[in-house]
Structures are given as structure tokens and as C-alpha cells.
Amino acid sequence: MGHAVTEKILADHLVEGELEPGEEIGIEIDQVLTQDTTGTLVWLQFEALGLDEVQTELAAQYCDHQTYQFDFKNTDDHRFLRSASGTFGAYFSRPGNGICHNVHRENFAAPGKTLLGSDSHTPTPGGIGQLAIGSGGLDVAVAMGGGAYYIEMPEIVEVRLEGELPAWTTAKDIILEMLRRLTVKGGVGKIFEFTGPGVETLTAPERMTITNMGTELGATTSIFPTDELTRDYLERVGREDEYVELQADDDAEYHDSITIDLSELEPLIAEPSMPDNVVPVREAAGAEVDQVIIGSCTNGAYEDILPAAKMLEDRSINLTTEMIVAPGSKKASEMLARNGWTAELMAAGVNFSEATCGACIGIGHVPGSDSVSLRTFNRNFEGRSGIEEDNVYLCSPEVAAAAALAGEIIDPRDLAEELDDLEDPGIELPEEYTGAESDIITPENPVDDDLVKGPNIGEVPLKDPLDAAIDGDVLLKMGDNITTDHIIPATQDILMYRSNIPKLSEFTLSRVDNTFAQRALNADGGFLLAGENYGQGSSREHAALCPMYLGIESVLAQSFARIHRANLFNFGLLPLAIDEETYETIDQGDSIEIVDDVAEAVTAGQEEFTIRVNDDWETTGVLKASEREREILAAGGKLSHVRQQHDESGAAPADD
Ligand code: MIC
Ligand code: SF4
């Protein structure tokens, strides 16, 4: 039997297990990336593990999420990250140099290599054949110390692309179509591998828009084969020598296959407030638009902004619509400026932001009350924009620019009918991605050799080993698709405490119930209860660490999102899967007792746990976990587990 691209890369990096779906595998990591809001914990944990030097081929630290530095705490985080990069041997990308995924793809992403990143959109360079996976920060710290990364071997699903995109329809519409068909939990436990004749009709950056937003499907990652267009992109970023050919064998077998005929697609838009709430733009047309933003790691590259610039050249945007362009990297900004497009956009009424995540997580450009915002981003979870009842739509840069011109949602094909000289700008890559290199400090020439910790940078709290008895009340009952933005929001008022867990914990689940954190602290233990896909969205391990800090010992949910589930293990919280009836019957405030000796049962490999509710009735919670995950839980989390192993064997801490 032949092999898929995914299998070939995994086989090359396999250090433990077999490539059978459902089996746990350990893989070697070549590159890691981390960013400012997850990076501080990565390095604090790297330090706590007793590690002193990066062991991967490459590690890169970006400062991209909170670059406005509204508070000294953010600035201190950046200062600490620079000092950690210098001390331990990572590249450091200075605040303002751009979004981690954009800067990484321009400078370091390489086909055939593995990449682990403490950000959920790490799969972006899957578009050039890199096997790139998002994870919690502790997993990144361990990988950076030379340890393997463990996942349950996903199913590999073929996405066969046929035909060619029609005018005004873009790569963004391909991933929106996948979300429309498969939903935000349709990719859990899966890797999407693209095949078919449609692949060669898409440039590498278009492919990266798709792999970036594959994260919204809940997928482990998404990947394209490599070809002349991959080589062409690497040549333009000045790294042609890193090209390797990666094609699936003709007789490769996939666990499932879906086909998308590109010629049948049309401009699509995700309506508020879930990325899978997708309809044709024509169905949403007519809604007045107050704000339009082009940017983010999905559609913030030079070649994403250029089509909008061409559409706006010699025109003016609607007077009651604000439009912001937030380039994904400083290189993109610099190229737009040097090629004259910044001036064109400004003349049309556009404002420019520095190269940052910013508005994507509610930092700047927060929409007004009762207003509509169209963004080229990847997530529109309610409240993420910085105002609770927001109306954020997700679309391509072309649809965004059309809305800015018309002042309402409009299919660009219909706008082109109205304005006779408006043509589909298509995609055009720069001859060469040029720009100053002055914002990247290399590990060879560091500017620091000692850690610098401001007063807001604390310690990573540890949990005790798992108890024999776990009991307490259900402190919060939640619905389906609870995101990590619900658990620990990323808005400015809260983001500045990412390195200070006691303070950050005060905001835990505040968007669901602002009495929760205090109640949890008072309760001395307890449970969270949720529906399907609990913890979807971001990789932030704070969403497990903060509930743990507040004393939560277990989460009962119908199902868990992949990265969050791993984070629960990493911080010693017992994730038990329950059925729908149990979910419906248990209420907030009910008292729960896990009847088994939990510590013993977890270690012994027991899968079914008896849950006694209100001392009245019983149901079952299921723990499907590998031996390694069970050991981690029993130890009270991964940090304690790795240290324990170190003490037992005398080996280097990350050699597990
Ligand atoms: C996001 O898009 O939600 C974030 C902010 O980039 C997160 C990382 C974080 O919470 O710091 C992610 O995607 O993992
Ligand atoms: Fe930044 Fe938004 Fe991309 Fe997350 S999704 S990395 S916040 S631009």
C-alpha cells in the first residue's frame, strides 16, 4: 500500500508507536514557535524543567499578539521573552515585526519538517508541505528540550480538489466551504490532506490560507503536497534550497475522502458568531457594514492585501464605514509602502495598523455597540472582538473590500456589475519578499544572556498528585462548543496577566458566569460540566491551568477539543466523557462523587468511572487515555511527571 504525504513525514519523525489511527505516537520535532501570550509560560516551564539550551533545529519566539504594550506588564513580557531567547538559544522576533505564522512562513517554514507551536494556527505552513501542529506551551517546552511530542494518530482524510476557482472566489471560500460542510468539530482527530488537480491551481499563499483556517475545523493539522508552486514560493522568500518534493503515492489510502469542485464555489461568508455559520455572500447581502478589517494570520499577507488595494485604487470607501488594514508582517507593510499601495489605500480612506494580531483578539478596533464588522480573520466567537454582543463576519479580502466600497455586505460579482470598471484583481505574488531583517535577533548573536523578569512574571503553579477521592459540586454547567475564549478571554484587560496565574485565574470563565472564579476558590474543589467540543479554539494552556489553580479537579463533557484535552492532562485535571443523557440530567450545583479510587483506577488503566450524583443516582464517565497520559494525570500534571522521571532515571528532564 502506498503512503500519503502525512504518513511519509510522520514515518520520518516517528520515535514511538505505530501509525495506526487511535494509537499514541511520539514524533521528533524539528522546529518550534511560540508567541508573546503563550511564550512566557513556555520559557518559565522550560526553566522549571531544568533545561538550559534549545535542542530542536530551530526555535522562534515572536511578539505579535499584544504589541501596543498598553501596560508595562506586556512590555515586561516582551523583555523577558527576549532574554529567554538569548539565554536558551532561540530566534527573537521583535514586537511589531509581525504575526508568528506570517513571519515564520517568510523566514523558516520548510517542507518535510515538523513544527510544533504554542498557537492553534501553527498548521499554516502545511500549505508548503510542513507537518505543523498547535499545542499547549508545556508540550512546546518539552519538545524544545529534545523530548518527543505525543498525539493520538489521527485519521488522514483526503480533500480532493477539482476544477478551478471562478472569478471573485478565493482560497478563503474553499476553507469556508469546508467549515460549512464539516462544522467546527468536523476535524477533531483528523488531518486533512489535499490532493487532486485543483491543487496546482492554487499558489502557496492561497494554500496557507486554507491550512491556517483548517484549525477552525478542530483538525490536528492540514497539509498540501509540494510542487513547482511550492518551490516558486520558497524562491520568492529566498529559500529555494529548502524545497523537497512531497507527493502522496498513487495508491495511497485515506480513511475518508471529500471532494470539492472549485468551479462550483462562490463567495462565502461566516455569519456571527461561529466560523462554521457559513452562507453565500448573496444571502447575507444588504446588511449595513460599520467596520472592515483586512489582516490576521489567515489573510494578512502582502498578496492578501494587494487585491483589496487594487479594488480601492482611485476610489473612496463609504463614508459611514471604517476600514483598517493590519498587515500580517512588517515585511508585508514595507513592501506595500515601497510599491505605493499604502498611499493608494490611505487615499481611499483606509487606516493602517502595525503588524499585529490586535483586533483579532479585541485589542484595538473594537466594534461599536450594535454594529457590523467584516473581517478577513479566522474566528468570530462571540465577544472575541472586545464587545460582548458583537456581529463579526468572516470573509475574503475581496468581499471585505467590496463591503467597504458599498457600505453594506455585497457579493463582489454584484458590485462589479454596478461599477463597470471593477475587475477581479486575482492573486499576484511579489517577485521577491523583500524587507529589512532588522527585527529578528538570531541565536548566534543574542543581546541577552540572563533572564529578566518584571514584577508581573510569576511562577507556574503545580498541582498535587491525583487524589484517591474526587468529589465536589458542579460549579458551572455550560453548553456545546465552549471556546478557550470563554474560559480565559484574550482581551487586553485580561491578556496582561498571562504570566501571573493567580491574578489571571480571577477571570476564569467570567464571560459565562462572573461569579465562577470566587465560587470555585471558596468551594475547595469541584467539577465543570460541558456539552460537545469543550475547549475549542486557541491553544492557550491557561484555560486548563487557571481552573486547576482555582481547585477544579475534573471536567465532565460530552466531548473535548484536541489541544484543550491535552492541556487538561498536562495540568492534572481529569477529563471524563459523559453521554448526552448524563449531561442533560446533571444540573449546576449537584454534588458529584467519583466512587472509584481515582488515583489507583487511573494508573491501572480503568476506562469507566462511576459517578454518583447527589448521593442518589449513578452514571458513568469514560477516560480513554494512553498509559503515558495516565501517568501524567496521576503525577498531578506533566511538569511533575517529567521531573519525577528525571529523579528516577537521572536522565535529562525532557528525555521522555
Ligand atoms: C487565538 O487566535 O485564539 C490566539 C490568541 O492566537 C491563541 C493563542 C493565545 O491564546 O495566546 C491560539 O490560537 O492558540
Ligand atoms: Fe493572531 Fe488572530 Fe492569528 Fe490568533 S488567529 S495568531 S490572534 S491573528
Side-chain angles (χ1 to χ4, degrees):
M1 189 185 93
H3 296 292
V5 169
T6 308
E7 288 171 312
K8 294 183 186 189
I9 303 179
L10 284 175
D12 264 0
H13 291 83
L14 197 66
V15 291
E16 221 175 297
E18 280 177 38
L19 300 180
E20 287 298 320
E23 292 282 306
E24 187 174 74
I25 54 168
I27 54 172
E28 188 187 347
I29 297 299
D30 302 320
Q31 301 188 342
V32 302
L33 73 75
T34 178
Q35 38 92 337
D36 50 353
T37 56
T38 53
T40 51
L41 283 193
V42 171
W43 293 112
L44 288 171
Q45 293 175 120
F46 192 82
E47 189 194 14
L49 286 167
L51 297 164
D52 54 13
E53 202 182 350
V54 167
Q55 299 297 321
T56 44
E57 286 174 19
L58 180 139
Q61 170 67 58
Y62 299 94
C63 292
D64 51 356
H65 282 63
Q66 192 0 339
T67 60
Y68 297 119
Q69 304 175 327
F70 290 133
D71 192 284
F72 79 90
K73 301 180 190 69
N74 304 121
T75 323
D76 279 1
D77 279 352
H78 293 158
R79 184 73 191 83
F80 168 66
L81 295 171
R82 196 185 78 199
S83 74
S85 303
T87 307
F88 298 124
Y91 284 87
F92 180 73
S93 172
R94 300 200 296 187
N97 190 38
I99 303 172
C100 52
H101 312 299
N102 293 63
V103 182
H104 201 81
R105 80 190 216 189
E106 285 166 1
N107 292 281
F108 306 116
K113 303 259 182 206
T114 51
L115 165 68
L116 191 71
S118 60
D119 191 280
S120 66
H121 292 100
T122 300
T124 309
I128 57 165
Q130 178 155 37
L131 195 91
I133 303 178
S135 76
L138 183 47
D139 288 324
V140 168
V142 170
M144 208 153 56
Y149 175 60
Y150 292 89
I151 42 164
E152 200 176 284
M153 176 65 194
E155 293 188 346
I156 306 171
V157 177
E158 175 186 32
V159 185
R160 195 176 159 74
L161 302 180
E162 282 173 358
E164 210 167 323
L165 287 170
W168 293 108
T169 310
T170 67
K172 184 64 162 275
D173 301 306
I174 303 176
I175 187 63
L176 287 174
E177 170 66 9
M178 286 180 72
L179 279 152
R180 189 186 70 75
R181 290 195 204 176
L182 303 173
T183 82
V184 289
K185 48 182 200 287
V188 178
K190 296 179 179 152
I191 292 181
F192 292 106
E193 181 168 321
F194 291 81
T195 70
V199 167
E200 65 191 34
T201 68
L202 301 170
T203 60
E206 288 171 288
R207 297 175 192 176
M208 287 192 273
T209 291
I210 298 170
T211 46
N212 169 283
M213 206 173 165
T215 296
E216 271 49 66
L217 295 159
T220 304
T221 189
S222 310
I223 193 162
F224 276 81
T226 62
D227 56 16
E228 280 314 305
L229 290 170
T230 320
R231 187 201 295 275
D232 173 75
Y233 178 76
L234 286 169
E235 200 179 326
R236 289 173 201 257
V237 294
R239 296 186 291 113
E240 196 197 352
D241 54 334
E242 293 181 27
Y243 177 76
V244 288
E245 186 168 314
L246 287 164
Q247 288 285 333
D249 296 330
D250 290 341
D251 56 346
E253 281 180 19
Y254 296 91
H255 299 99
D256 204 353
S257 176
I258 56 173
T259 301
I260 301 179
D261 184 349
L262 303 183
S263 63
E264 282 176 4
L265 294 184
E266 61 176 313
L268 298 172
I269 194 162
E271 295 192 307
S273 291
M274 224 13 106
D276 60 3
N277 214 355
V278 175
V279 297
V281 174
R282 279 184 180 150
E283 252 178 54
E288 253 178 59
V289 175
D290 302 275
Q291 184 192 57
V292 168
I293 311 184
I294 297 189
S296 87
C297 55
T298 312
N299 279 127
Y302 174 82
E303 55 279 356
D304 293 310
I305 299 167
L306 190 57
K310 290 178 180 169
M311 287 170 70
L312 297 188
E313 192 176 8
D314 297 328
R315 296 192 165 89
S316 296
I317 61 168
N318 176 56
L319 284 178
T320 56
T321 308
E322 279 177 28
M323 181 166 171
I324 299 104
V325 166
S329 69
K330 205 185 233 182
K331 258 192 189 164
S333 287
E334 196 180 322
M335 287 191 293
L336 286 167
R338 290 191 191 277
N339 297 342
W341 291 110
T342 306
E344 289 298 342
L345 284 160
M346 284 182 164
V350 170
N351 293 325
F352 267 77
S353 144
E354 62 183 74
T356 178
C357 295
C360 185
I361 40 173
I363 299 175
H365 306 295
V366 176
S369 52
D370 199 17
S371 71
V372 167
S373 177
L374 251 65
R375 299 170 169 209
T376 65
F377 304 173
N378 47 41
R379 291 184 171 152
N380 59 347
F381 304 142
E382 194 179 8
R384 182 174 158 101
S385 68
I387 171 169
E388 206 49 48
E389 279 162 21
D390 52 10
N391 292 298
V392 175
Y393 292 71
L394 307 172
C395 61
S396 68
E398 285 80 348
V399 172
L405 285 169
E408 59 182 44
I409 299 180
I410 185 166
D411 187 313
R413 292 171 300 177
D414 298 330
L415 186 67
E417 294 263 301
E418 281 173 31
L419 310 174
D420 26 86
D421 56 346
L422 184 69
E423 276 174 24
D424 177 7
I427 178 135
E428 185 194 334
L429 272 52
E431 272 305 304
E432 216 186 320
Y433 287 79
T434 51
E437 305 291 343
S438 46
D439 278 295
I440 295 186
I441 301 174
T442 66
E444 291 75 35
N445 290 306
V447 290
D448 305 84
D449 56 9
D450 218 351
L451 296 181
V452 180
K453 293 183 187 167
N456 184 52
I457 296 177
E459 305 250 301
V460 184
L462 288 177
K463 185 179 171 295
D464 292 332
L466 201 60
D467 278 334
I470 295 190
D471 52 36
D473 290 350
V474 173
L475 295 175
L476 196 61
K477 179 170 181 174
M478 297 163 275
D480 290 343
N481 294 325
I482 288 293
T483 70
T484 47
D485 279 316
H486 288 105
I487 307 173
I488 286 291
T491 45
Q492 163 53 21
D493 48 335
I494 302 176
L495 199 71
M496 63 185 164
Y497 298 113
R498 283 281 181 102
S499 316
N500 178 345
I501 302 305
K503 183 68 192 167
L504 188 70
S505 303
E506 292 174 15
F507 299 94
T508 310
L509 284 159
S510 55
R511 292 202 30 237
V512 182
D513 174 350
N514 62 16
T515 67
F516 170 77
Q518 196 51 53
R519 287 194 293 111
L521 266 184
N522 297 345
D524 187 25
F527 292 80
L528 291 172
L529 175 66
E532 299 273 8
N533 202 22
Y534 179 69
Q536 71 153 328
S538 127
S539 65
R540 64 192 74 135
E541 58 195 340
H542 310 76
L545 183 50
C546 291
M548 181 277 265
Y549 181 81
L550 295 174
I552 297 295
E553 285 178 285
S554 169
V555 183
L556 313 178
Q558 283 177 257
S559 63
F560 298 88
R562 181 188 69 88
I563 304 180
H564 187 61
R565 178 182 174 280
N567 286 335
L568 290 173
F569 280 96
N570 283 353
F571 293 99
L573 271 76
L574 177 69
L576 287 181
I578 49 167
D579 61 21
E580 194 180 346
E581 198 188 334
T582 302
Y583 168 77
E584 295 294 347
T585 320
I586 299 180
D587 286 324
Q588 185 163 321
D590 284 357
S591 77
I592 303 270
E593 182 197 352
I594 300 184
V595 177
D596 314 73
D597 177 327
V598 182
E600 200 182 289
V602 164
T603 322
Q606 190 172 311
E607 290 202 346
E608 296 194 349
F609 288 74
T610 305
I611 300 173
R612 192 157 172 76
V613 186
N614 291 335
D615 217 3
D616 179 28
W617 59 280
E618 285 180 359
T619 181
T620 305
V622 178
L623 176 72
K624 283 244 183 320
S626 68
E627 208 181 306
R628 191 191 55 87
E629 287 172 326
R630 288 170 182 276
E631 281 174 16
I632 290 174
L633 262 188
K638 186 160 174 162
L639 208 51
S640 309
H641 178 242
V642 177
R643 279 177 168 174
Q644 216 174 55
Q645 282 189 319
H646 178 218
D647 293 345
E648 281 163 17
S649 70
D655 280 356
D656 62 335

